[in-house]
Amino acid sequence: MLSTEAFIEHFYRRIVRAIALGTLAIASIVASITLVTFVVIGNSAIIAILAIALISCLGSGLTLFLLARKQPLWQATIPFGLSIIVNEIVTVLLFPELRLAVTPFLSVVVLLAGLYRSRLFSIGIVVVCIVVIIFIVLVVPDESITVIPLPLLRFLQASSLIALLIGIWAFLDQILAAQMQALQLAEQRAYEAENERQKVETANRELEQRNVEQQRLLELVAALELPILQIDNQVLLVPLVGNLDSRRAEQLRRRILEEVAERRAHTVIIDITGITVIDTAVAKALVDTATAIRLLGARTIISGIRPAVAQTLVHLNAGLGDIVTAPNPETALALAHHPVVA
């Protein structure tokens, strides 16, 4: 896709190419008709008209060549602009009767200078064109004497005005075409931006969905790692398996407190039959968990303390305080439904 700068450059080149092609075509026609007229009439003044037409062909052709060679725009327009100015001066000097027909062509030079997008350069070209116009008006002799045959004179005047109109039409046509192309380019960029926005929204939705699924998986893993079973309306059973480190103990305390508060349980049975290793930190975590449960108005029963774990607790001097213990979950369940006598 063209950038804005490249699009403007391409647009200006199309304008110069269209004007140069139109000028080349008209100048070629004028040169051909003038040559035929010279052969038929033999008027020596027609040679000058032929030379003027050939200069126009040379300037416009050289401009087209430079445009095809991808030369800078200002360099490509110089031959065409110079050919117009030279032809203006030569024409009004040799054929004063044509000055009103050819003078408006200086506006083409001003238009070409404006395409360079330099205010100083454009002002300089305007000053040059004004000087040429002053020269034409003040210096050129009166046009009362006509050296060109009347039919040829009328043809040259008409062809000059037609060429100017064609040049203006080509300029306006290229502007309209560029506007349509700019609208299409804007619509295309808007369409691409909308597609990119939809892609980003789709990616965000997919990312959010993956995050939700990941969160569900994490919750499922946490639930499987630290299951909390509801035995009846007010008794919870927490079977622990494997190693109970500080991280799992913290998660255990948080989840048990949430379940006790949500289900309004009065007893929590923590079965540690599957615990293989226990240390001071884990024993302290169990005591802290039981204390927190008691603050919520419930009691804790720890079941399944294995002999090795009991010996470890004794050696670590990590007693379980006033927490009720039971040999297995069945006994703990029975104790849960009967008050414990202190």
Side-chain angles (χ1 to χ4, degrees):
M1 181 183 296
L2 291 177
S3 63
T4 303
E5 187 71 20
F7 173 77
I8 294 176
E9 178 73 15
H10 178 69
F11 164 57
Y12 287 167
R13 285 180 174 273
R14 284 175 53 184
I15 292 178
V16 175
R17 186 180 295 109
I19 296 177
L21 279 174
T23 303
L24 179 62
I26 294 176
S28 300
I29 294 173
V30 171
S32 301
I33 295 177
T34 303
L35 183 60
V36 172
T37 303
F38 174 75
V39 172
V40 174
I41 299 177
N43 192 333
S44 60
I46 299 178
I47 298 297
I49 299 176
L50 179 61
I52 293 173
L54 292 177
I55 291 175
S56 296
C57 291
L58 179 62
S60 56
L62 187 56
T63 292
L64 291 173
F65 174 75
L66 294 176
L67 288 175
R69 293 291 300 271
K70 305 297 182 182
Q71 295 298 320
L73 185 60
W74 70 272
Q75 293 182 6
T77 55
I78 286 179
F80 188 43
L82 287 178
S83 66
I84 293 176
I85 295 176
V86 170
N87 281 340
E88 289 278 338
I89 297 174
V90 173
T91 300
V92 298
L93 286 177
L94 297 179
F95 311 108
E97 60 272 22
L98 290 177
R99 61 182 174 182
L100 293 180
V102 298
T103 301
F105 276 91
L106 291 174
S107 61
V108 177
V109 180
V110 176
L111 288 177
L112 294 177
L115 298 180
Y116 184 54
R117 290 177 290 172
S118 172
R119 177 171 296 180
L120 184 61
F121 180 77
S122 301
I123 292 175
I125 295 299
V126 170
V127 171
V128 171
C129 291
I130 292 174
V131 171
V132 173
I133 292 174
I134 294 174
F135 171 80
I136 292 173
V137 173
L138 298 180
V139 178
V140 174
D142 186 71
E143 56 185 26
S144 57
I145 302 176
T146 302
V147 297
I148 305 176
L150 184 60
L152 182 58
L153 175 63
R154 291 177 178 177
F155 168 75
L156 292 175
Q157 290 175 339
S159 62
S160 298
L161 295 177
I162 291 173
L164 181 61
L165 291 176
I166 291 177
I168 295 175
W169 170 82
F171 182 80
L172 296 177
D173 180 70
Q174 291 300 319
I175 289 179
L176 180 60
Q179 289 176 345
M180 296 300 297
Q181 186 176 354
L183 289 176
Q184 293 176 357
L185 182 62
E187 291 177 356
Q188 181 180 359
R189 290 183 175 178
Y191 176 75
E192 292 177 353
E194 179 65 19
N195 285 342
E196 291 297 327
R197 186 186 65 82
Q198 292 179 358
K199 290 180 181 179
V200 171
E201 290 181 354
T202 302
N204 289 336
R205 286 195 297 268
E206 293 177 353
L207 181 60
E208 291 177 358
Q209 184 176 0
R210 286 197 295 268
N211 290 336
V212 171
E213 293 177 354
Q214 185 178 7
Q215 185 63 29
R216 290 177 181 174
L217 290 175
L218 292 176
E219 293 176 356
L220 178 60
V221 170
L224 294 176
E225 187 180 20
L226 299 170
I228 298 178
L229 309 177
Q230 185 172 4
I231 303 302
D232 54 26
N233 291 335
Q234 294 183 316
V235 178
L236 300 178
L237 174 62
V238 184
L240 301 179
V241 180
N243 294 329
L244 185 63
D245 54 15
S246 300
R247 180 187 63 84
R248 290 187 65 196
E250 178 64 26
Q251 293 179 354
L252 173 67
R253 178 166 58 251
R254 179 177 55 82
R255 291 199 59 217
I256 289 177
L257 295 180
E258 291 176 355
E259 294 292 332
V260 170
E262 180 180 353
R263 303 183 185 184
R264 298 183 179 181
H266 62 66
T267 303
V268 178
I269 301 174
I270 301 177
D271 182 56
I272 61 174
T273 304
I275 295 296
T276 57
V277 178
I278 192 169
D279 55 15
T280 304
V282 173
K284 185 177 184 302
L286 291 175
V287 174
D288 292 342
T289 301
T291 301
I293 292 173
R294 185 167 63 252
L295 292 175
L296 293 180
R299 61 174 178 165
T300 303
I301 301 177
I302 297 180
S303 65
I305 299 179
R306 300 169 60 185
V309 174
Q311 289 182 2
T312 302
L313 292 175
V314 171
H315 286 109
L316 294 175
N317 193 23
L320 298 180
D322 56 354
I323 300 175
V324 179
T325 61
N328 52 59
E330 292 79 6
T331 304
L333 184 60
L335 292 174
H337 292 90
H338 297 83
V340 180
V341 181

